[in-house]
Amino acid sequence: MADVLVFVESNTTGTGRLFAERARELGLVPYMICRDASRYPYLSELGIAFHECATDSQEAVLAACRSLAAEHALKGITSSSEYFISTAAGVADALGLPSENPAVLSAARDKRVQRRRFAACGVNSPEFRTASSAREAVVGAEALGLPVVVKPVDRSGSLGVRRCDTVEEVSRHAGQLLANLVDERGRPLPASVLVEAYLDGPEYSVEVLDGEMRAVTAKHLDQTRGFLEIGHDVPAPVDEATRALLIGSTRAALAALGLRWGAAHVELRMTQGRASVVEVNPRLAGGMIPQAIQAATGQDLIAELMALTAGLTPVRGPVHEGCAAIRFVVPDMDGEVRTVPDTTAALQLPGVVAAGLTARTGQRVTREGTFLDRLGHVIAGGDTAPQAADRADQAVKALSVELVPYRTKRAQP
């Protein structure tokens, strides 16, 4: 009888594969429950068994897990996809397995609930309004004062998040969001958007595991279209006073939401000497941040989270003090990918510990200002933050993906 760790769906990029690999390293057998296994090529590459069902139904996932438990020892249930962490927690709770309270997770994933809890508990965060129509969004924006940020209440990866500088932009973007009835997974979207006061100032995130503040990350943003994260620095090169403010606001935000177990990725901005919480994500960070933390400090947050999920005592390896930087390959135009470079040149540069490309020849690229714009990444380490950043900047130049204007089909006579 195998000790099985169940994954409900997965990220299609980032940590999904790493979750399964770390589970195996812990002596567990990874097993996927998903709607469509073809979304995840790593399942066949790693020989991971799966069961297909309607994963938007907690009852269907629970039934699949009960069936699996008849033949194997289920040790834990989780997901690397933010969209399914509440479902995974609900099933784990029903089966008596380790998890955060599923009701707490569901509430924490709703950005409206976050804002209301923060306001009630005195947590520094942007002023906001909710809107169920473009007109309501404009009224909210006028009350808050332009510019504002208009965003969905239930998405991930900066999808649909826009800064709007005019009421026309507010109306247009809110209307577009409200016209979307389902997300990219086919799940129904709430008929509501958030309108928030825009916070100026540098952005950071605090990475949390089981109540411990593990790292403070500095973010590099491209805001020309949305809030595309184009790089990260670990640890953030900030003074102790700033670090204390960021961690203090993070603790307050987690307490307001009742989050006590598992991982959290808390995004904040420093504005006029205050750390304001942009949002709390009750999961590990995306954007290769866990890998950068491991490169900088030796902490393997993914392995620790997998152990925690399976009811095991996480084993920490030796921790060291270093720095790491991530830089993403992002296109400077819309078009079609003509050539994709080999990653060897980047990997041979000083300090580079990882490099990868997702771009494929012939791929059509339309920039949206979200994580989907990224075509690749590099991670570089160094003794200091400037050294790691410089190494990553040099390495990303070696991964230049050539794009050409879209080819148009010739009209048929």
Side-chain angles (χ1 to χ4, degrees), residues 20-363:
E21 291 177 340
R22 295 298 188 274
R24 279 187 171 166
E25 291 167 6
L26 291 168
L28 303 166
V29 177
Y31 186 93
M32 173 77 76
I33 295 178
C34 55
R35 179 181 290 274
D36 178 7
S38 67
R39 289 179 64 94
Y40 312 115
Y42 73 83
L43 294 180
S44 59
E45 293 167 3
L46 298 180
I48 295 173
F50 60 86
H51 171 76
E52 293 182 330
C53 71
T55 48
D56 56 349
S57 164
Q58 184 170 306
E59 291 74 18
V61 176
L62 178 58
C65 286
R66 290 192 190 281
S67 177
L68 186 63
E71 300 180 8
H72 301 286
L74 263 60
K75 294 298 182 181
I77 303 168
T78 189
S79 179
S80 59
S81 170
E82 183 173 340
Y83 293 142
F84 296 94
I85 55 173
S86 298
T87 298
V91 175
D93 184 66
L95 296 177
L97 298 171
S99 74
E100 176 61 272
N101 182 315
V104 168
L105 274 180
S106 294
R109 285 215 62 248
D110 188 322
K111 295 177 176 61
R112 295 167 298 186
V113 172
Q114 284 194 24
R115 289 285 174 259
R116 291 166 186 156
R117 296 270 182 91
F118 295 161
C121 296
V123 179
N124 291 335
S125 64
E127 290 188 63
F128 73 99
R129 300 289 189 275
T130 59
S132 56
S133 70
R135 178 58 191 159
E136 286 184 5
V138 168
V139 171
E142 290 174 333
L144 294 170
L146 296 164
V148 295
V149 175
V150 180
K151 64 185 183 182
V153 300
D154 182 14
R155 299 294 291 274
S156 180
S158 297
L159 290 168
V161 182
R162 291 288 186 276
R163 168 178 160 157
C164 298
D165 295 318
T166 67
V167 292
E168 290 78 15
E169 290 178 2
V170 171
S171 179
R172 181 168 58 252
H173 187 57
Q176 290 170 346
L177 291 178
L178 292 167
N180 293 329
L181 302 181
V182 297
D183 64 20
E184 67 275 17
R185 295 272 189 160
R187 300 161 61 252
L189 286 169
S192 181
V193 297
L194 273 182
V195 182
E196 299 179 347
Y198 174 73
L199 296 179
D200 200 5
E203 185 163 320
Y204 302 92
S205 65
V206 177
E207 320 311 334
V208 185
L209 186 60
D210 207 24
E212 292 187 44
M213 309 293 118
R214 295 302 192 87
V216 177
T217 305
K219 296 177 173 292
H220 298 264
L221 300 177
D222 176 356
Q223 295 183 189
T224 56
R225 285 173 173 74
F227 288 84
L228 171 61
E229 296 175 1
I230 59 175
H232 309 294
D233 297 326
V234 180
V238 296
D239 57 40
E240 282 304 312
T242 299
R243 186 176 187 277
L245 287 172
L246 292 166
I247 287 177
S249 287
T250 294
R251 292 190 188 282
L254 295 176
L257 296 174
L259 290 167
R260 297 181 178 85
W261 185 94
H265 169 65
V266 183
E267 298 175 334
L268 311 98
R269 282 205 173 197
M270 288 298 302
T271 304
Q272 298 179 342
R274 300 177 58 183
S276 294
V277 179
V278 175
E279 63 184 44
V280 173
N281 303 281
R283 54 167 172 80
L284 276 183
M288 307 292 171
I289 291 175
Q291 295 92 309
I293 292 172
Q294 186 172 10
T297 70
Q299 300 177 82
D300 190 341
L301 302 191
I302 298 175
E304 290 188 44
L305 180 59
M306 294 304 93
L308 192 67
T309 302
L312 305 173
T313 301
V315 177
R316 298 191 194 180
V319 176
H320 57 267
E321 292 187 6
C323 298
I326 304 166
R327 296 293 182 268
F328 293 102
V329 180
V330 293
D332 58 6
M333 62 176 284
D334 296 346
E336 188 173 285
V337 175
R338 171 177 281 179
T339 60
V340 178
D342 193 302
T343 58
T344 303
L347 288 167
Q348 291 176 341
L349 292 174
V352 176
V353 297
L357 288 165
T358 57
R360 297 292 179 265
T361 302
Q363 176 183 343

